Amino acid sequence: MAKVGWGTPPLISVSLGVIIEIPGNIAILGVIKVALPTEDEAILLLQVNFAGAIEFDKRRLYFFASLYHSRVLTITIAGELGLLVAFGDQPDFVLSVGGFHPAFKPPPLPFP
């Protein structure tokens, strides 16, 4: 696990953990926080939870991120991003920012 910040006081901070399965898969998860100009007087506050994995046994990688308690001044910001890249016998590439069209039927996804 690690926590990295940029600036004093930190304008951007990343807390992340890496999980390695031996032998096998790799996962990364954490939180990104951006507070501008400062955390106490933030005009822009972005907080993102994220998780991703490289699953060698399933021959795919994926990444999922979700905004929480984020805002510009008093306007709430929300949203999610999902990415799936499957490179096995049934290759797929799926990218969703904000959701899918109702008529689209995605393959089975490892995220909501």
Side-chain angles (χ1 to χ4, degrees), residues 44-100:
L44 172 66
L45 179 62
L46 296 176
Q47 299 179 102
V48 180
N49 288 329
F50 64 88
I54 301 172
E55 298 178 326
F56 295 104
D57 56 343
K58 296 181 181 175
R59 302 188 72 181
R60 69 180 182 184
L61 66 90
Y62 68 87
F63 181 79
F64 180 73
S66 180
L67 283 167
Y68 73 98
H69 300 289
S70 298
R71 63 180 170 77
V72 175
L73 294 174
T74 59
I75 301 168
T76 301
I77 302 173
E80 296 178 331
L81 174 140
L83 171 69
L84 168 69
V85 178
F87 46 89
D89 296 334
Q90 298 177 346
D92 277 318
F93 177 81
V94 178
L95 175 64
S96 172
V97 179
F100 295 115

Side-chain angles (χ1 to χ4, degrees), residues 1-75:
M1 296 190 72
K3 184 170 185 176
V4 179
W6 181 68
T8 306
L11 301 174
I12 300 172
S13 65
V14 178
S15 301
L16 63 93
V18 177
I19 302 166
I20 300 172
E21 182 181 51
I22 299 176
N25 305 324
I26 300 171
I28 184 170
L29 51 116
V31 177
I32 298 173
K33 185 174 183 179
V34 177
L36 299 173
T38 65
E39 188 169 356
D40 295 333
E41 301 169 350
I43 294 172
L44 172 66
L45 179 62
L46 296 176
Q47 299 179 102
V48 180
N49 288 329
F50 64 88
I54 301 172
E55 298 178 326
F56 295 104
D57 56 343
K58 296 181 181 175
R59 302 188 72 181
R60 69 180 182 184
L61 66 90
Y62 68 87
F63 181 79
F64 180 73
S66 180
L67 283 167
Y68 73 98
H69 300 289
S70 298
R71 63 180 170 77
V72 175
L73 294 174
T74 59
I75 301 168

